[in-house]
Amino acid sequence: MFSGYSLAVIEDPGAGSPEYKRKEFSKKHNKCPPKMTVAILFLLATNIPMALYMSLIHQKGPEDVMNHLAREATQGNVKS
């Protein structure tokens, strides 16, 4: 939410003002401003590695333990 608001303000600095919300604007932007391009690249560079770590490595132990226990239970090695 904060990233989206900040990117909108970078694109159009008047976007955060109350007067801007009352006016109707139909601007067509053909090109991203350099600040927005840098901000988007920074967000991607920091979020992609974090997302990969969180989805592939972090807290993988409980899933591995449950798979091991399920395998042991199907083989009849677990009594309770």
Side-chain angles (χ1 to χ4, degrees):
M1 181 174 83
F2 295 116
S3 296
Y5 175 77
S6 298
L7 289 174
V9 171
I10 286 174
E11 184 178 5
D12 189 2
S17 68
E19 294 85 24
Y20 183 83
K21 293 178 184 177
R22 283 186 239 134
K23 294 179 183 178
E24 295 281 332
F25 286 99
S26 61
K27 292 183 189 176
K28 291 185 180 180
H29 297 288
N30 294 335
K31 191 173 177 185
C32 269
K35 283 185 181 180
M36 181 175 282
T37 305
V38 170
I40 290 171
L41 290 175
F42 173 76
L43 288 171
L44 288 174
T46 56
N47 283 307
I48 289 175
M50 183 173 55
L52 288 172
Y53 171 75
M54 291 294 184
S55 62
L56 299 175
I57 299 169
H58 183 71
Q59 293 292 323
K60 193 172 189 250
E63 185 178 339
D64 290 341
V65 168
M66 293 307 293
N67 287 333
H68 175 71
L69 289 175
R71 218 175 305 114
E72 291 292 318
T74 57
Q75 293 174 358
N77 297 335
V78 178
K79 299 202 191 269
S80 64

